[in-house]
Amino acid sequence: MKLTKEQQAILDGEKGEALAKVMETLVRYGELFGATKMVKVTSEYNHLVTSFGLKALGSVYELLEKLLSEGLESKQKFTVDPRPIDKNVPANFLENIVFNKFMYSKQDYYEDQLRKFGLKDENSFTCICYMDEVGNTPKKGEVLSWAESSAVVYANSVLGAKCNRNSGVLDLMGSIAGYVPYFGLLTPEGRKATWKTEIKTTKLPEAQLLGSAIGMKVMEDVPYIVGLDKFIGTELDDKTKTYLKDFGAATASNGAVGLYHIENLTPEAKESGQDLLVKDYKTFVVDDKVLEDTYKNYPVIWKNKEAQPKLCFMGCPHFSLQQLKDWTEKIVEGLKENGNDKVLIPTVFTAAPDVIEKFKQEDDYYERLTNAGVILSYICPLMYMNNPLAKKKPVITSSNKLRTYTTARFYTDDEILEQLVKGGK
């Protein structure tokens, strides 16, 4: 790898041993992927994926303490993924002990480290940092040092920023050094599409299902999607961006997609069209049968497949403001039609703290939602489910990310709504 004089000086230890080791880590990381140089991180803010004070991550806290003791901090303020616990989310006595005394016993300590490194503010815990309410929205062409997969794919695809799918702690190191290795999705070649994905469904596909089908097919490759614009239009309004948020999260978790292009919609596709396709691209056609088969093939890993749901998690990735409003309307109307006052399954909607604050100011939506029995939380559902006790609980969701990483059972939005307001399975 060819380094600039400044980068080589950092690597040689001229700015301290700790920063030299950070740079060495980034250089070695880049060399593994054939990077030829390091490039400057240019975004205003960074975003970190590791938000949880898991007791088992002792070596991480030791590393961070060493960096802090050497006077190092992030060159950018940063947001971070959601917190793992919230006292308002249903949990029994034993689960609370596991969460607070064993699993996330280092939460307060770790958050104090984050503040010292440069946490943007106390509301900065969300996986949808790019939403307007949160304020960490990169500009087109900016180079990022992110790791959260759903945020990376959104930034690359919808915003036209440039970021590889990094791992936790490397995202912070890139911001401390101010540089990331140049390879993959940072390069023009790496942003080319190797799959042409044709949407031939009879109606708008559910975002989570479409993202799942494409992600499992193309894996880490870049798809160029044709035919979706006829359903969602050619403008990136709030409704479309919300759809792409959930679609992208499913491609990234059910596969390893870090970038997709949608013809006539996403920035690079609007500029270059099908010139983004490599010459020997592969083709994947998504029709109603593909989506149906994708859904049918999801494994149900509940011990008792006929169990009645004990909890419903919605908002992974976090809900947008528009989703909170839309779901409030659907639940209130559905309960009224079925003669019920409150949801029939304990239900948690998750959203960014800043989005929740804005939602509370939107007419009487918050009051109507909570009166219907829904809990609104800033929690990360995945982190809540990531323990042996929660794994035994029959949890339902319409999030393909949560389904993939936990024992939660997937249902479509319509099926979830029916269970919440009417009951049954």
Side-chain angles (χ1 to χ4, degrees):
M1 187 183 296
K2 186 176 182 180
L3 302 180
T4 65
K5 289 183 179 180
E6 179 184 358
Q7 293 163 357
Q8 188 64 52
I10 294 173
L11 186 62
D12 291 341
E14 293 182 17
K15 295 188 178 181
E17 179 185 357
L19 187 57
K21 292 198 175 200
V22 169
M23 180 62 83
E24 181 184 0
T25 302
L26 292 167
V27 168
R28 289 190 178 192
Y29 168 48
E31 287 177 342
L32 286 171
F33 290 93
T36 57
K37 62 181 178 179
M38 302 288 286
V39 292
K40 190 175 181 62
V41 176
T42 59
S43 58
E44 181 179 2
Y45 296 107
N46 193 20
H47 181 78
L48 309 187
V49 69
T50 309
S51 60
F52 42 90
L54 198 62
K55 187 176 182 180
L57 297 180
S59 58
V60 172
Y61 310 134
E62 290 177 15
L63 169 63
L64 298 187
E65 202 59 45
K66 173 65 174 174
L67 296 176
L68 286 170
S69 70
E70 295 289 331
L72 297 180
E73 60 183 22
S74 173
K75 285 184 167 57
Q76 311 152 288
K77 294 290 186 180
F78 55 81
T79 52
V80 64
D81 267 16
R83 289 183 167 105
I85 48 180
D86 178 0
K87 64 181 181 180
N88 296 314
V89 174
N92 61 38
F93 178 74
L94 189 54
E95 286 172 335
N96 277 323
I97 290 178
V98 170
F99 288 146
N100 293 289
K101 301 298 183 182
F102 294 97
M103 288 189 66
Y104 302 119
S105 60
K106 302 290 286 184
Q107 189 66 30
D108 290 342
Y109 176 80
Y110 178 56
E111 288 190 20
D112 186 56
Q113 287 185 318
L114 293 178
R115 293 183 189 97
K116 291 175 181 176
F117 272 112
L119 183 67
K120 180 173 175 284
D121 56 54
E122 291 302 312
N123 276 358
S124 293
F125 292 84
T126 178
C127 50
I128 59 164
C129 61
Y130 45 79
M131 285 290 173
D132 292 342
E133 293 82 5
V134 183
N136 183 1
T137 311
K139 298 180 176 63
K140 185 176 183 297
E142 288 186 333
V143 175
L144 318 180
S145 179
W146 292 9
E148 160 56 43
S149 62
S150 68
V152 167
V153 71
Y154 188 94
N156 275 319
S157 310
V158 182
L159 303 177
K162 297 180 179 180
C163 186
N164 281 314
R165 283 173 54 109
N166 303 302
S167 63
V169 183
L170 277 174
D171 48 10
L172 178 58
M173 286 188 173
S175 191
I176 290 172
Y179 298 100
V180 289
Y182 183 73
F183 70 92
L185 298 176
L186 301 188
T187 70
E189 298 79 14
R191 299 181 73 84
K192 289 277 191 177
T194 54
W195 285 86
K196 183 178 181 182
T197 303
E198 300 176 0
I199 309 302
K200 295 186 176 181
T201 55
T202 55
K203 62 180 181 179
L204 173 65
E206 190 151 330
Q208 297 278 358
L209 276 176
L210 179 62
S212 175
I214 292 176
M216 288 192 287
K217 184 68 174 182
V218 309
M219 296 308 291
E220 76 279 7
D221 289 346
V222 177
Y224 183 93
I225 301 163
V226 178
L228 187 59
D229 57 308
K230 72 180 180 182
F231 294 117
I232 61 177
T234 59
E235 298 299 326
L236 290 170
D237 55 21
D238 287 344
K239 183 178 180 180
T240 300
K241 287 189 286 188
T242 292
Y243 182 95
L244 297 181
K245 166 182 72 74
D246 291 340
F247 164 77
T251 68
S253 58
N254 286 202
V257 174
L259 165 66
Y260 59 80
H261 303 291
I262 299 178
E263 191 163 62
N264 299 321
L265 181 61
T266 53
E268 288 162 271
K270 275 196 166 185
E271 289 177 359
S272 304
Q274 296 194 18
D275 288 343
L276 288 169
L277 284 161
V278 299
K279 290 182 179 179
D280 56 345
Y281 66 83
K282 292 166 280 190
T283 301
F284 176 43
V285 176
V286 178
D287 56 19
D288 294 338
K289 182 69 162 53
V290 167
L291 296 180
E292 180 183 355
D293 290 345
T294 298
Y295 187 11
K296 285 182 177 179
N297 286 325
Y298 292 154
V300 178
I301 52 181
W302 291 356
K303 186 174 182 180
N304 176 10
K305 292 180 172 56
E306 302 305 317
Q308 290 298 313
K310 300 295 184 184
L311 184 64
C312 174
F313 262 124
M314 300 288 284
C316 179
H318 274 169
F319 268 169
S320 68
L321 179 62
Q322 189 61 52
Q323 282 176 302
L324 287 177
K325 293 164 72 173
D326 290 345
W327 270 97
T328 298
E329 296 285 2
K330 289 192 289 187
I331 284 179
V332 171
E333 291 175 9
L335 288 172
K336 183 177 180 181
E337 289 175 4
N338 288 280
N340 294 311
D341 296 322
K342 295 183 182 296
V343 290
L344 304 182
I345 300 169
T347 301
V348 180
F349 284 0
T350 64
D354 286 317
V355 172
I356 292 174
E357 287 188 7
K358 183 69 181 295
F359 180 66
K360 289 180 178 179
Q361 301 168 12
E362 294 284 322
D363 298 326
D364 61 347
Y365 277 102
Y366 177 75
E367 182 179 359
R368 292 164 67 199
L369 183 66
T370 54
N371 284 345
V374 175
I375 296 168
L376 187 55
S377 173
Y378 51 74
I379 201 173
C380 172
L382 198 158
M383 290 298 103
Y384 175 97
M385 293 285 294
N386 191 27
N387 72 86
L389 295 176
K391 287 179 180 178
K392 297 178 181 178
K393 185 182 296 184
V395 176
I396 61 174
T397 185
S398 67
S399 163
N400 243 311
K401 182 172 185 177
L402 191 62
R403 174 198 69 82
T404 302
Y405 294 139
T406 72
T407 57
R409 185 172 183 173
F410 180 88
Y411 289 98
T412 65
D413 282 348
D414 288 344
E415 291 169 333
I416 291 284
L417 179 62
E418 183 172 0
Q419 292 186 65
L420 295 184
V421 302
K422 188 177 180 181
K425 287 178 59 182

